[in-house]
Amino acid sequence: MPAYFVAEVEVTNPAGYEPYRALAGASIAQYGGRFVARGGKTELLEGTPEPQRVVIIEFPDMASLNAWYNSAEYQPLIALRKQSTSELDMMFTLEGA
């Protein structure tokens, strides 16, 4: 069953975020992940606040997603991401149907 990593982030330092984007993409592919959505236009239908940047990554299963997130390749990138994004960012996993 596919699994999804969903992130809603506000990039506060675009130049500092670029190295994260490049390195994260390579690590995601290494664990069988692929981008479903990556910062495209959003339209808020209900609630608040307006999403800034939404990223959805599909993995073959939850084990692959967790292996990526906890990997030696990705863990150092979390600190890099946090240096360039809001402390209010939200990330969660979702099991597919």
Side-chain angles (χ1 to χ4, degrees):
M1 171 183 313
Y4 299 90
F5 177 85
V6 182
E8 196 277 322
V9 300
E10 179 182 353
V11 177
T12 56
N13 177 359
Y17 191 72
E18 285 306 312
Y20 167 80
R21 284 182 56 177
L23 295 169
S27 73
I28 289 163
Q30 188 175 350
Y31 288 85
R34 69 175 189 89
F35 288 98
V36 176
R38 190 176 190 182
K41 182 181 177 201
T42 62
E43 178 183 349
L44 184 65
L45 299 176
E46 294 186 29
T48 58
E50 184 76 34
Q52 298 295 310
R53 176 180 174 80
V54 177
V55 177
I56 302 172
I57 306 166
E58 180 183 61
F59 287 87
D61 50 44
M62 195 60 76
S64 299
L65 186 159
N66 286 324
W68 162 72
Y69 187 81
N70 295 305
S71 70
E73 297 84 13
Y74 186 67
Q75 281 296 298
L77 301 182
I78 293 172
L80 184 61
R81 183 193 74 230
K82 288 182 176 185
Q83 291 172 5
S84 302
T85 59
S86 168
E87 64 184 33
L88 301 176
D89 294 345
M90 178 176 50
M91 281 144 220
F92 60 91
T93 64
L94 176 67
E95 288 184 341

